[in-house]
Amino acid sequence: MPAVNQLAVMVMSLAALDQPDSHLLLHGTFDLPADAEIRCDLYSTAWFNAFMDGKWWMDGPARFSPSQKEYIQAGKKLSAGKHTLALQLKTNGVDTRIAKHQPPRFFAQLFSGEQEIPVDWKVCRSDAYESQKARLTGVLGWIEWCDTRKLPTAWPLEAGTNQQWSTPIFQQEDKSTFTLIDVPPVARVRHGLEPMEQGRLIMARGEAFTKEAGWNFFMRNLSPVRQHDQGVWRRYDLGRVRLAYPRFTLDVPAGTVVEFGYSEYLDHGRVCPVVSQSGCPTCFLDHYVARGGMQTFQPSEPRGMRFLEVHVIGDPERIRFVDEAVDERTYYTEKPQGSFACDDKLLNRIWSVGVETMRCCYEDSPTDTPGRERGQWLGDVTAAGIDVTAVSYSDLAPIRRMLVQAAQCPEPDGTIFGMVPGMGMMIPAFALQWVSTTAHYYELTGDRALLEELFEAALTNMAAMKSYSEDGLLKKVRDVWNFIDWGYQTPSSPFPGIDPAFRATLKEDLALSLNWYRALQDLLRWADWIGAGDRVDPFRAAFAESDAALRRSLPTQNLDKPETWYAYGFHATVLSLLYGLMDDSQTASAVTFIENHIESCFPNDLNAPILYCENIMERQVFTPYFAHYIFDALIQHGEMDFVQRQYRSCWGWCLEQGLTTWPEVFDLRWSHSHQYSACPTWQLSRYALGLHPCFDKGKDHYRFDLRPGSLHQARGTLPVCGSNELPIEVEWKRSGDCMRVKITTTHPIYLHREGMDVLLIEGRTEFDVPAEPMTKAL
């Protein structure tokens, strides 16, 4: 962690934010005797937007666990004279998927060099917001319902006189108890908007008497035939799902109502703020009353959306749109450093959509989706997420932060939670995958310090999981949801739909035991990497026991019959194949079974069962989440051509539906933005270019394993993770019975090729490899 400034700090205890859904305004003034580059150290447990001299500067905080008090640091060049630092703070007062509720506390220190700049602060609670009008969802915070006439007229540049301002109460604390955050403030990127449709509206009958704001919005008549129009509306397509602040400047009379409605997809051609697949009531909407004249409307928190609909209720003849935009909140603002292009335009497009899906799921940390919950679920990264990010950008700091945060807020017995630091949920497979993903992070980056920092947490986590091991297999791990995949039948599933008689037969979970096997293997490697092999002797014995038990569990007869493998379990079959537990006859039969299963599922077979909600427990399903494991196993066993056909068929189906980011499952009623569904991106970059980081062997070491499938040629760039080095360029082309490979790098790398000496590459190197037989692409 970065070092902290060992000074006292004056912390504000914000009693005015004690109630849920409260808003507070802070206004500070300070003087600079000369031009200076100032630094701001800012800590807040409440959401904030900071404005320097009336212009937006930064927002936050980055999510952190209650046990960690983290502050943001940002710099800015200012001229000599008087300046203002204004902040709007909002507390949810409830636990969300983003963060658990913490008592509202705040500090902001300004420095010029090492000299602290005195700031004259005043504070007031805003009564412009109607509190607790509705939750966005049951796992997020509150919508905004604001009468802007009650805000300071010149806010945020001036405090104004129409508020009850007071001097805040400070308490001195030791700054060494706070930690400087290890990621920079999340940036905003402005996108100007043009409406895709617009018109006039009349309000729904009975709007004044119902509290259902979302349904009122959706039920308005947007194609009125009468002349008594009550407002105007405009609808926008942001191009893809984004986490963004709508920012609209309008010229309207006082009392005009402005509402923003958000959705990832259109329902009957419209934005519906009431969203399915959320497990709780939803209201993706914000509401403002205008003070009159030229005014900018923008919520204080970002919203997830692809489609935005603006309703302006007032005299249509007096409503004028001046500026229409959204400010996207995203960690990765620059063009990806990774690239991929081949002779198949559809695969190129699929690769790019995977990168865009990943980008929309990053803030200060990786999240599952920018809309429904914004939760930092480990499974989104431990599956495809880490590899998609690593072939797109060299900066993996948010993933490192996620792995550390998981260790900072475990269960009482030390088990890693499946989601942190918000509404924690225990998912055994994710606790095990955390171990494997930390080891994989080391393979990608060579970050030994992370292994040393998290080793004790790994030992405690695995010791807790070991208590459920019996004869090498994990038995039921408490009464928790063991998520392996959607549609997966498990004795601990929280969803209805599993036949009770069948549930009673599920005594051990082979797919979970295979996660246990892999985590044990990775823990042993981890210990050897940092010279702590003597600390893991009990786990060496557990690994040997697990290996023997899993091999015994594999079927040995009737291997050509699908029911043999279905009885063993589709997911267990995939993981056993991936982890190298099968003999040759089992491998050949398992590959055939897996491919036939996928071909029988939607969207390959449009008449197959559809995974239309969470409680569907159906064996004839195939998900983009578990494809990360399925396709990795198949590619390693020579089936890249089959895998590429699945990219074209299944991910191509998503594109045919008009999606521009990948959905949670192959059904349009679920979320339309999940990075765990982007496995084609990392698999094309790694296997179709051939370069695989193995920094566990040393800095800048790569394994060469090229699996071209049906491709004739490919080229691309691969970021050097955890480094400022320029990306490595790879290009190859078939020529007769060979493939000519060209690798260009600005720094020396070491290439490991099977059966050959390690090749040192400096600058540009070319070599031939035998060409795989080609199968005609379907």
Side-chain angles (χ1 to χ4, degrees):
M1 289 289 185
V4 298
N5 194 330
Q6 303 294 326
L7 296 173
V9 64
M10 304 305 291
V11 179
M12 302 182 198
S13 295
L14 305 175
L17 287 176
D18 281 345
Q19 297 301 313
D21 193 22
S22 298
H23 292 253
L24 194 72
L25 306 180
L26 280 168
H27 196 270
T29 57
F30 61 95
D31 289 290
L32 290 177
D35 296 354
E37 171 100 28
I38 68 149
R39 187 187 89 233
C40 178
D41 292 354
L42 195 156
Y43 165 79
S44 178
T45 59
W47 182 260
F48 69 84
N49 278 271
F51 305 85
M52 181 64 75
D53 296 330
K55 296 182 179 180
W56 182 86
W57 186 15
M58 58 181 163
D59 64 14
R63 66 196 73 200
F64 58 87
S65 67
S67 64
Q68 306 294 313
K69 299 185 295 185
E70 296 183 337
Y71 65 92
I72 295 173
Q73 193 170 88
K76 198 170 188 66
K77 290 183 179 179
L78 296 177
S79 60
K82 185 176 181 179
H83 295 275
T84 63
L85 175 58
L87 295 105
Q88 181 173 354
L89 295 98
K90 175 183 179 180
T91 183
N92 285 315
V94 293
D95 290 346
T96 70
R97 288 281 165 86
I98 299 173
K100 293 182 178 179
H101 172 63
Q102 300 183 53
R105 302 170 74 244
F106 168 88
F107 75 69
Q109 281 184 304
L110 298 181
F111 295 89
S112 176
E114 295 302 313
Q115 183 67 38
E116 185 170 359
I117 302 168
V119 180
D120 182 19
W121 289 105
K122 51 185 174 181
V123 60
C124 75
R125 178 169 179 164
S126 175
D127 62 355
Y129 294 85
E130 184 175 336
S131 180
Q132 304 177 60
K133 181 71 175 180
R135 295 279 292 273
L136 290 159
T137 77
V139 295
L140 279 177
W142 306 90
I143 72 170
E144 292 189 357
W145 201 271
C146 177
D147 186 342
T148 66
R149 294 171 294 189
K150 299 180 180 180
L151 291 171
T153 53
W155 178 263
L157 181 60
E158 299 177 9
T161 58
N162 61 333
Q163 305 288 315
Q164 296 295 319
W165 294 95
S166 62
T167 301
I169 299 174
F170 295 92
Q171 178 180 346
Q172 182 171 306
E173 294 188 24
D174 183 353
K175 195 173 181 183
S176 66
T177 63
F178 296 83
T179 305
L180 175 60
I181 193 173
D182 49 6
V183 293
V186 181
R188 288 192 189 182
V189 179
R190 186 182 190 275
H191 302 280
L193 299 178
E194 293 288 340
M196 58 186 291
E197 293 182 272
Q198 57 186 306
R200 295 195 172 187
L201 64 81
I202 58 175
M203 298 172 67
R205 181 175 179 270
E207 274 199 41
F209 305 104
T210 177
K211 296 181 180 180
E212 299 296 335
W215 286 119
N216 285 341
F217 186 95
F218 187 62
M219 295 301 293
R220 288 175 188 146
N221 186 343
L222 303 188
S223 302
V225 295
R226 297 182 292 123
Q227 298 303 310
H228 303 292
D229 301 330
Q230 295 174 293
V232 301
W233 64 272
R234 293 188 178 186
R235 186 178 302 128
Y236 307 85
D237 182 354
L238 278 57
R240 65 162 168 83
V241 176
R242 303 177 191 272
L243 180 68
Y245 297 84
R247 182 180 177 83
F248 278 65
T249 301
L250 306 177
D251 187 358
V252 294
T256 300
V257 171
V258 179
E259 288 190 343
F260 298 122
Y262 319 103
S263 65
E264 290 187 339
Y265 52 87
L266 296 180
D267 193 333
H268 296 85
R270 297 180 53 169
V271 167
C272 181
V274 183
V275 181
S276 63
Q277 295 296 331
S278 289
C280 49
T282 63
C283 185
F284 287 100
L285 175 147
D286 290 305
H287 170 107
Y288 304 92
V289 179
R291 65 170 178 261
M294 192 85 73
Q295 183 178 355
T296 297
F297 299 88
Q298 183 173 32
S300 61
E301 290 185 281
R303 309 303 192 199
M305 70 192 93
R306 173 179 172 181
F307 295 97
L308 167 66
E309 202 167 279
V310 181
H311 293 188
V312 185
I313 301 170
D315 183 352
E317 303 302 327
R318 300 179 64 190
I319 296 170
R320 185 166 68 93
F321 284 74
V322 179
D323 186 51
E324 303 152 89
V326 295
D327 294 334
E328 182 179 11
R329 186 176 198 262
T330 178
Y331 185 82
Y332 293 110
T333 60
E334 303 296 328
K335 179 182 177 182
Q337 297 160 295
S339 64
F340 178 83
C342 66
D343 51 287
D344 187 320
K345 292 182 179 179
L346 178 56
L347 292 185
N348 295 341
R349 186 181 174 194
I350 288 170
W351 184 93
S352 296
V353 171
V355 175
E356 291 306 302
T357 305
M358 178 275 296
R359 290 179 70 189
C360 81
C361 295
Y362 270 87
E363 306 176 44
D364 53 278
S365 64
T367 64
D368 67 329
T369 172
R372 189 181 64 209
E373 54 184 89
R374 295 169 60 193
Q376 186 177 233
W377 290 90
L378 299 189
D380 290 274
V381 169
T382 60
I386 185 171
D387 288 301
V388 175
T389 309
V391 300
S392 306
Y393 293 96
S394 62
D395 180 5
L396 303 186
I399 293 178
R400 190 187 198 281
R401 178 173 171 79
M402 180 206 74
L403 296 170
V404 172
Q405 282 191 338
Q408 289 173 343
C409 41
E411 290 248 43
D413 66 356
T415 307
I416 298 296
F417 270 126
M419 184 190 63
V420 292
M423 303 161 68
M425 183 179 293
M426 167 58 176
I427 297 182
F430 290 1
L432 297 168
Q433 290 166 14
W434 174 84
V435 175
S436 295
T437 303
T438 305
H440 186 40
Y441 186 90
Y442 178 64
E443 293 174 320
L444 292 170
T445 66
D447 187 349
R448 180 188 172 98
L450 180 67
L451 297 185
E452 293 174 340
E453 180 180 354
L454 300 184
F455 186 58
E456 294 301 327
L459 292 177
T460 305
N461 176 52
M462 291 295 282
M465 296 300 295
K466 189 174 182 294
S467 66
Y468 301 102
S469 175
E470 183 179 327
D471 299 326
L473 301 176
L474 286 192
K475 305 300 180 179
K476 185 177 178 182
V477 182
R478 289 184 278 164
D479 190 19
V480 296
W481 179 28
N482 176 36
F483 179 84
I484 297 294
D485 188 13
W486 297 110
Y488 181 71
Q489 295 177 325
T490 169
S492 56
S493 171
F495 301 115
I498 300 181
D499 178 72
F502 176 76
R503 187 192 292 268
T505 68
L506 299 175
K507 296 181 180 178
E508 64 260 335
D509 194 320
L510 282 176
L512 181 61
S513 292
L514 283 153
N515 277 274
W516 168 241
Y517 171 86
R518 182 56 183 265
L520 286 167
Q521 187 177 55
D522 288 327
L523 179 66
L524 299 181
R525 295 196 303 149
W526 180 342
D528 290 341
W529 289 332
I530 63 173
D534 59 327
R535 301 281 309 279
V536 292
D537 287 343
F539 296 107
R540 293 190 194 280
F543 175 71
E545 186 179 39
S546 175
D547 182 86
L550 288 168
R551 292 180 190 276
R552 287 195 304 269
S553 72
L554 283 162
T556 57
Q557 298 180 341
N558 299 318
L559 298 180
D560 58 335
K561 298 184 182 301
E563 286 305 321
T564 299
W565 294 105
Y566 278 124
Y568 181 66
F570 173 76
H571 297 81
T573 302
V574 169
L575 296 178
S576 295
L577 179 68
L578 178 62
Y579 300 152
L581 291 165
M582 296 182 175
D583 62 27
D584 290 345
S585 62
Q586 291 166 334
T587 294
S589 297
V591 167
T592 300
F593 162 72
I594 292 168
E595 293 181 349
N596 288 341
H597 171 86
I598 294 171
E599 294 279 17
S600 75
C601 296
F602 187 88
N604 283 309
D605 182 349
L606 297 180
N607 295 314
I610 296 177
L611 197 63
Y612 60 85
C613 68
E614 296 93 334
N615 66 349
I616 298 299
M617 298 297 158
E618 167 64 57
R619 80 178 189 182
Q620 193 183 346
V621 294
F622 160 62
T623 69
Y625 168 79
F626 206 70
H628 165 77
Y629 303 99
I630 299 170
F631 292 164
D632 196 12
L634 292 178
I635 293 169
Q636 290 185 33
H637 288 84
E639 297 296 312
M640 181 54 137
D641 189 62
F642 173 86
V643 169
Q644 289 174 357
R645 293 202 303 271
Q646 296 310 305
Y647 297 161
R648 299 181 186 105
S649 173
C650 301
W651 280 257
W653 174 85
C654 296
L655 295 177
E656 290 170 359
Q657 311 313 304
L659 300 190
T660 54
T661 49
W662 297 133
E664 193 170 6
V665 301
F666 293 122
D667 183 86
L668 300 184
R669 288 162 286 194
W670 294 55
S671 165
H672 286 198
S673 53
H674 261 64
Q675 63 174 314
Y676 73 34
S677 298
C679 69
T681 295
W682 80 260
Q683 289 164 356
L684 286 168
S685 281
R686 292 297 181 209
Y687 285 113
L689 294 179
L691 219 55
H692 304 254
C694 53
F695 282 36
D696 55 304
K697 299 181 184 298
K699 186 177 184 296
D700 296 319
H701 283 247
Y702 293 84
R703 176 173 54 87
F704 187 75
D705 183 8
L706 178 60
R707 311 282 179 132
S710 60
L711 303 181
H712 293 81
Q713 60 186 29
R715 67 181 185 277
T717 54
L718 292 162
V720 183
C721 295
S723 166
N724 293 322
E725 300 285 357
L726 292 176
I728 301 168
E729 299 176 16
V730 180
E731 182 178 359
W732 64 266
K733 186 175 183 179
R734 289 182 187 267
S735 179
D737 58 357
C738 288
M739 293 181 290
R740 187 67 174 172
V741 179
K742 301 176 184 178
I743 298 177
T744 304
T745 174
T746 59
H747 66 289
I749 66 171
Y750 302 88
L751 198 64
H752 297 252
R753 296 176 293 172
E754 187 174 1
M756 303 178 70
D757 292 336
V758 175
L759 176 64
L760 172 62
I761 300 178
E762 298 180 281
R764 178 169 175 168
T765 296
E766 299 186 18
F767 55 88
D768 292 329
V769 295
E772 289 187 353
M774 288 185 60
T775 303
K776 185 177 179 181
L778 299 181

